[in-house]
Amino acid sequence: MHVLICGGAGYVGSHMAKWMASRGFTVSVLDNLSTGHRAAVQWSDLLEVNLLDKHALDQVFSAGPIDAVMHFCARSLVGESVVEPYQYYENNVVGTLNLLQAMRKHGVDRLVFSSTAAVYGHPEMDHIDEEHRKAPINPYGMSKLMVEHMLADAAAAYGLRSVSLRYFNAAGASEDAEIGEAHEPETHLIPNVLKSVLGQGAALKIFGDDYPTPDGTCVRDYVHVDDLAQAHELALRYMDTHEGAHAFNLGSGEGYSVREVMSVAERVTGRSVPYEVAPRRAGDPAVLVASSSRARRELGWQPKYNELGAIIESAWRWHVNRKF
Ligand code: UFG
């Protein structure tokens, strides 16, 4: 089975490509390298294509045959999306529409879509399930929700089968430390904690310690990137027997505060985390924790990393010897 991984040079996409290649799938990576890394593409060819280039996209599918698409291409910085919303709607919505149209033209009818917890907005329950109100509070979340709506319409009109996977906080790196998280600039907590430990750049900034949580810092649900990959493979298989457009949360169901993440990182690395307390970051809800029982029940998802220490250990191995 030949799977096209759009955004396969990025963080989650590159782990996906590695995962699928190791399971015997034929993989091609499409990426415009705007935020991805050539060095992260090690298990397939790299098609350097922008989803906004319809002609190039058509050529990719003409060269086919492609059986299914996994789609990770996106701008994904919440703060940036508020300042540059058109970039988010163009890349994430128009780019995906172009991809869907190319798929339709070439008879490719299966898509696994990388969605986000940001489609929910402010949480109204302790463990957010898929029925929670969808009220994104920034253009990034809105762009992903708009795509989910397009997928529902495409299922009804054209019979497209799709699964949207709404990640909570993707974290960790591949066990062999061949690939890992490498954003520029880095905005995510765990890499910033580890960079602070390594003395790379300034001390970690804790964005707010006056939230209504046990220690005053924000609580998030961290899920290992290879557990995300496992869920995508299961989603692909799910579409063999399920028509329509489906959505599943992917998270561990366990919340950890920023200070708890720091203390686990101190245990794993054996070093202290230099930090300072800074003002709250705009748009951060106090607590975001998933209910992923639907993914466990319907996809048969069984995350392997059930402990934050193991997630941070894998990230640490990557960060001490980063290859890109
Ligand atoms: N944080 C810090 N210091 C840092 C980085 C983060 O204190 O240097 C805090 C944040 O304020 C937040 C928590 O650590 O409370 C986690 O922040 P991340 O940036 O790692 O992750 P987010 O929860 O903000 O983002 C995740 C996904 C996004 C998604 C968002 C939905 O990465 O794609 O959840 O709210 F949009």
Side-chain angles (χ1 to χ4, degrees):
M1 186 178 198
H2 185 188
V3 181
L4 178 68
I5 302 186
C6 299
Y11 172 41
V12 185
S14 59
H15 287 80
M16 192 73 239
K18 184 174 202 267
W19 178 278
M20 295 299 275
S22 76
R23 273 155 185 75
F25 290 87
T26 305
V27 173
S28 293
V29 163
L30 177 156
D31 203 296
N32 69 354
L33 299 182
S34 62
T35 54
H37 303 270
R38 193 181 294 278
V41 183
Q42 300 177 24
W43 299 275
S44 70
D45 52 334
L46 169 64
L47 309 165
E48 227 179 299
V49 168
N50 189 322
L51 293 186
L52 297 174
D53 183 347
K54 286 181 151 193
H55 178 67
L57 206 45
D58 189 56
Q59 287 181 326
V60 168
F61 282 92
S62 297
I66 290 164
D67 301 299
V69 176
M70 292 179 167
H71 177 30
F72 301 87
C73 299
R75 308 287 299 223
S76 63
L77 298 178
V78 169
E80 184 185 65
S81 79
V82 176
V83 184
E84 297 285 357
Y86 288 172
Q87 280 191 19
Y88 278 70
Y89 291 118
E90 184 172 63
N91 275 279
N92 299 2
V93 181
V94 178
T96 302
L97 179 59
N98 290 345
L99 175 64
L100 295 178
Q101 287 177 320
M103 287 173 64
R104 177 161 183 248
K105 178 176 169 194
H106 293 274
V108 182
D109 66 352
R110 279 157 208 234
L111 176 79
V112 185
F113 174 59
S114 166
S115 190
T116 170
V119 300
Y120 296 114
H122 289 298
E124 294 166 1
M125 48 179 81
D126 286 347
H127 286 78
I128 298 174
D129 67 22
E130 290 83 355
E131 301 313 314
H132 185 287
R133 192 159 66 98
K134 316 305 178 289
I137 53 172
N138 51 63
Y140 168 65
M142 184 58 83
S143 71
K144 293 283 185 174
L145 184 60
M146 288 165 79
V147 171
E148 288 198 21
H149 284 296
M150 293 200 304
L151 296 178
D153 293 340
Y158 312 125
L160 178 73
R161 296 182 183 210
S162 68
V163 175
S164 295
L165 297 174
R166 299 175 185 149
Y167 321 152
F168 282 63
N169 290 62
S174 77
E175 273 302 308
D176 57 13
E178 281 295 311
I179 50 174
E181 192 164 6
H183 297 113
E184 193 52 54
E186 188 52 77
T187 63
H188 295 102
L189 179 63
I190 291 176
N192 281 348
V193 166
L194 298 178
K195 285 170 83 170
S196 173
V197 167
L198 289 167
Q200 298 169 351
L204 176 79
K205 284 190 166 63
I206 297 179
F207 295 135
D209 67 352
D210 57 352
Y211 284 95
T213 59
D215 66 18
T217 64
C218 286
V219 171
R220 293 289 182 274
D221 179 336
Y222 297 89
V223 53
H224 194 275
V225 65
D226 279 342
D227 284 332
L228 295 180
Q230 180 206 138
H232 286 70
E233 184 192 351
L234 292 167
L236 190 62
R237 299 185 190 283
Y238 185 80
M239 291 186 287
D240 288 342
T241 49
H242 294 79
E243 298 181 340
H246 306 270
F248 299 94
N249 287 343
L250 298 179
S252 69
E254 295 283 336
Y256 291 90
S257 73
V258 172
R259 283 193 186 278
E260 285 173 327
V261 169
M262 291 166 60
S263 102
V264 174
E266 290 186 336
R267 173 167 60 74
V268 165
T269 63
R271 306 189 202 176
S272 61
V273 180
Y275 75 93
E276 60 187 72
V277 176
R280 290 183 177 195
R281 190 171 69 176
D284 275 343
V287 181
L288 268 185
V289 180
S291 160
S292 300
S293 47
R294 183 188 282 180
R296 289 170 191 265
R297 192 177 60 243
E298 292 193 33
L299 298 179
W301 186 48
Q302 292 184 316
K304 298 278 179 292
Y305 291 80
N306 294 312
E307 206 250 311
L308 183 63
I311 295 178
I312 293 182
E313 267 169 34
S314 73
W316 177 238
R317 279 195 296 275
W318 160 250
H319 278 281
V320 289
N321 192 17
R322 254 176 74 165
K323 300 192 172 63
F324 51 85

